[in-house]
Amino acid sequence: MGRPGTRHTTSGRLRRAGLTREVGWFAVIGAASTVAQALLYWALRHWSPPVLANLASLLVITALNTEANRRLTFRGSAVRALRAHLAAGGLFVLAYLFTSGAVLLFRHYRPSASPAQEALVLVPAFALVTVVRFTVLRLAVFERRRR
């Protein structure tokens, strides 16, 4: 038997290491998703209004983002794909409302803004949504049972 407190210390280190790994993967996936979403929005925006371009880009990238996070960030979780995507669907609605509000507000003050300028405004909105997504996914969707 080891020293008193060793087991507690080891499990704490393992939890911190797991959190660090999760944050790292989530940051990489989130950054790639933000860039992809901004580029897809920009491309779609040439043919559709802002809210539709945002809806389509957010829908595609959120599905890919959720699956990447399920497989890489939260890979130790027993949550199945369907449950993960359904939970992400609820987050999708909030993300869509927030990002659409951001782009519409920007267009209100800059009606002649280019699609590229709109996409740049969406980047910080996507980033904020990503932080909220990580928190909710980690605490509510992919929560690991404490041993």
Side-chain angles (χ1 to χ4, degrees), residues 6-24:
T6 302
R7 187 168 153 201
H8 176 69
T9 303
T10 302
S11 67
R13 270 190 242 133
L14 290 174
R15 273 197 292 272
R16 281 191 302 279
L19 177 60
T20 300
R21 182 191 55 78
E22 287 176 355
V23 169

Side-chain angles (χ1 to χ4, degrees), residues 79-146:
V79 173
R80 299 208 180 256
L82 181 61
R83 179 169 182 257
H85 285 280
L86 288 174
L91 292 168
F92 168 83
V93 172
L94 294 173
Y96 176 70
L97 292 173
F98 182 75
T99 56
S100 289
V103 77
L104 291 174
L105 185 63
F106 177 69
R107 287 197 47 79
H108 175 75
Y109 289 106
R110 297 280 313 267
S112 62
S114 71
Q117 290 171 317
E118 292 172 8
L120 288 175
V121 165
L122 285 173
V123 167
F126 294 148
L128 182 58
V129 164
T130 297
V131 171
V132 172
R133 272 180 58 82
F134 176 75
T135 304
V136 172
L137 289 174
R138 184 169 197 286
L139 296 177
V141 178
F142 294 104
E143 175 195 20
R144 292 192 175 95
R145 300 279 182 237
R146 301 291 179 226

Side-chain angles (χ1 to χ4, degrees), residues 1 40 50 61 69 83 102 132 146:
M1 192 159 156
L40 185 55
I61 301 303
N69 279 307
R83 179 169 182 257
V132 172
R146 301 291 179 226

